[in-house]
Amino acid sequence: MGGPSSEHEVSLGTGKNVMENLDKAKYEPIAIKISKTGKWFLGGKLTSQPEALRGHDVVFNALHGTFGEDGKVQGILEHAGIKYTGSGIAGSALAMDKFHSREIFKLAGLNTPRTMKLKRGENYLAHLRFFINKVVKLPVVIKPCSNGSSVGVQIIEDMAKLDQAITEAFKVDRFVLVEEFIKGRELTCGVLDPALDDKSGARNSSTKTVGSVTALPVTEIIPVKNHKFFNYDAKYKTGHSNEITPAPLDDVLTKKAQDIAIRAHQVLGCSGYSRTDLILKNGNGTIYVLETNTLPGLTNNSLLPKSAQAIGLTLGQLLDKIISSSLS
């Protein structure tokens, strides 16, 4: 838990919650914390990376964002021969890069917002003006290409504010996306892999299983307190968003959203669990994929535990499921 990313504090929250909810009759958890500067601590004591990783049966990866979610720590753990939770190197790296994952989503027949990728230091101005004036029109969404928790994300309705938003996003990542703004309802759908079995009792009409993967109930997110979208504060401050699980959708749209979440998980090569963020466009019922999170938050405010709870899975049981998937 922890790590060098902008999601350091969120990661600590996930890690703390995981440790508190693990079945102590089954597990002996020990905290491996990584500081923002990359120092490793085992049980609160400064140590080396090899020492921190020695002697564990499995590592529960609670490192959100850069280093923990982009294939880097997965590579370290695989090199050390240690089992770990969540997706592998390739699936993690692909999902973390929003531009490349969207290219894969499009090849798989999924809808994504039209997107332009900018690189820090390049002269992109002419292409950017053409993209906004001729391809998508305002408003547009500015976001770092490889980051989570909506850090650095802004919706821009005025050209005068565009350059500043891009500058802010470049502070987070050397690649920035300018994407079409899709006006609609924000949805998210968690996926468990391997699938829930019938004996658990959790697999029911509000879940959908395709092959070896189960989609959990869909959640609708309605930001409040003047948030334009599900930004960092709306995500992590209590009372800043209304999250409705199962989402108030008809059966056709619900199953469609679950199908898309499963497909996104599969085409990126994810494993263990994931959560895919979607937009249901107003008016025509088209569902767009925004991104897939390979390490969804597991804090008290997080969406995946809430959707699991909606089908009767406690956080402890969900953690059991995630851990057993990494050991199989």
Side-chain angles (χ1 to χ4, degrees):
M1 65 177 98
S5 83
S6 57
E7 296 178 80
H8 179 90
E9 301 300 333
V10 179
S11 172
L12 292 178
T14 284
K16 181 173 179 285
N17 219 27
V18 167
M19 291 192 70
E20 288 175 354
N21 285 277
L22 284 170
D23 182 350
K24 299 305 187 294
K26 212 172 191 180
Y27 306 106
E28 295 177 20
I30 184 164
I32 302 173
K33 292 186 182 179
I34 303 174
S35 73
K36 287 185 177 179
T37 56
K39 292 178 179 171
W40 291 61
F41 295 82
L42 180 65
K45 294 180 180 177
L46 180 64
T47 188
S48 65
Q49 177 189 298
E51 279 300 314
L53 296 176
R54 186 166 289 135
H56 310 298
D57 297 302
V58 61
V59 165
F60 196 105
N61 184 8
L63 289 169
H64 302 308
T66 308
F67 183 72
E69 205 166 350
D70 56 8
K72 291 188 179 73
V73 82
Q74 289 80 3
I76 290 169
L77 294 169
E78 292 205 10
H79 182 70
I82 298 169
K83 293 181 183 294
Y84 58 89
T85 58
S87 295
I89 297 170
S92 299
L94 274 175
M96 192 68 175
D97 186 321
K98 294 180 180 70
F99 188 79
H100 283 111
S101 60
R102 286 182 182 184
E103 294 301 296
I104 292 169
F105 292 151
K106 286 190 284 187
L107 288 172
L110 302 176
N111 297 306
T112 66
R114 288 172 291 182
T115 306
M116 180 180 180
K117 184 178 181 181
L118 311 179
K119 183 179 180 182
R120 187 169 55 212
E122 283 191 350
N123 186 0
Y124 51 75
L125 201 57
H127 286 116
L128 176 61
R129 301 293 177 192
F130 179 83
F131 179 74
I132 291 177
N133 292 324
K134 301 294 184 182
V135 180
V136 295
K137 308 293 185 191
L138 289 174
V140 292
V141 183
I142 307 298
K143 62 177 62 170
C145 184
S146 299
N147 212 66
S149 292
S150 299
V151 175
V153 180
Q154 295 186 55
I155 297 172
I156 299 301
E157 300 174 0
D158 181 352
M159 284 295 281
K161 297 179 180 178
L162 182 66
D163 289 344
Q164 182 60 36
I166 292 171
T167 300
E168 291 295 319
F170 273 136
K171 291 178 182 176
V172 181
D173 193 343
R174 67 192 183 104
F175 293 105
V176 165
L177 303 185
V178 182
E179 75 177 36
E180 170 186 20
F181 175 71
I182 310 288
K183 190 168 179 61
R185 296 163 68 181
E186 295 190 60
L187 308 174
T188 194
C189 184
V191 162
L192 296 180
D193 173 10
L196 292 170
D197 57 53
D198 291 316
K199 289 179 283 187
S200 70
R203 185 166 156 180
N204 57 38
S205 60
S206 64
T207 65
K208 178 162 187 176
T209 298
V210 176
S212 63
V213 182
T214 295
L216 295 172
V218 180
T219 296
E220 180 172 8
I221 303 149
I222 305 170
V224 294
K225 297 187 182 289
N226 296 320
H227 295 301
K228 290 181 182 177
F229 65 102
F230 197 44
N231 60 18
Y232 189 93
D233 283 349
K235 280 183 166 92
Y236 299 114
K237 289 188 176 179
T238 301
H240 281 242
S241 65
N242 296 325
E243 294 142 7
I244 307 166
T245 309
L249 304 170
D250 63 40
D251 286 345
V252 172
L253 280 174
T254 295
K255 297 307 179 191
K256 187 176 176 183
Q258 290 174 318
D259 272 334
I260 290 169
I262 288 172
R263 188 82 180 117
H265 177 93
Q266 290 175 324
V267 298
L268 293 179
C270 300
S271 55
Y273 64 123
S274 71
R275 200 196 75 233
T276 294
D277 296 337
L278 311 161
I279 293 285
L280 172 60
K281 187 174 182 178
N282 288 346
N284 67 3
T286 302
I287 297 177
Y288 289 79
V289 183
L290 296 181
E291 64 179 280
T292 294
N293 304 276
T294 54
L295 292 180
L298 297 172
T299 68
N300 289 326
N301 282 337
S302 297
L303 297 164
L304 189 77
K306 289 179 181 178
S307 60
Q309 189 177 18
I311 56 169
L313 280 180
T314 65
L315 181 54
Q317 290 169 324
L318 176 63
L319 299 178
D320 263 355
K321 173 83 179 143
I322 291 169
I323 292 167
S324 65
S325 73
S326 71
L327 295 171
S328 58

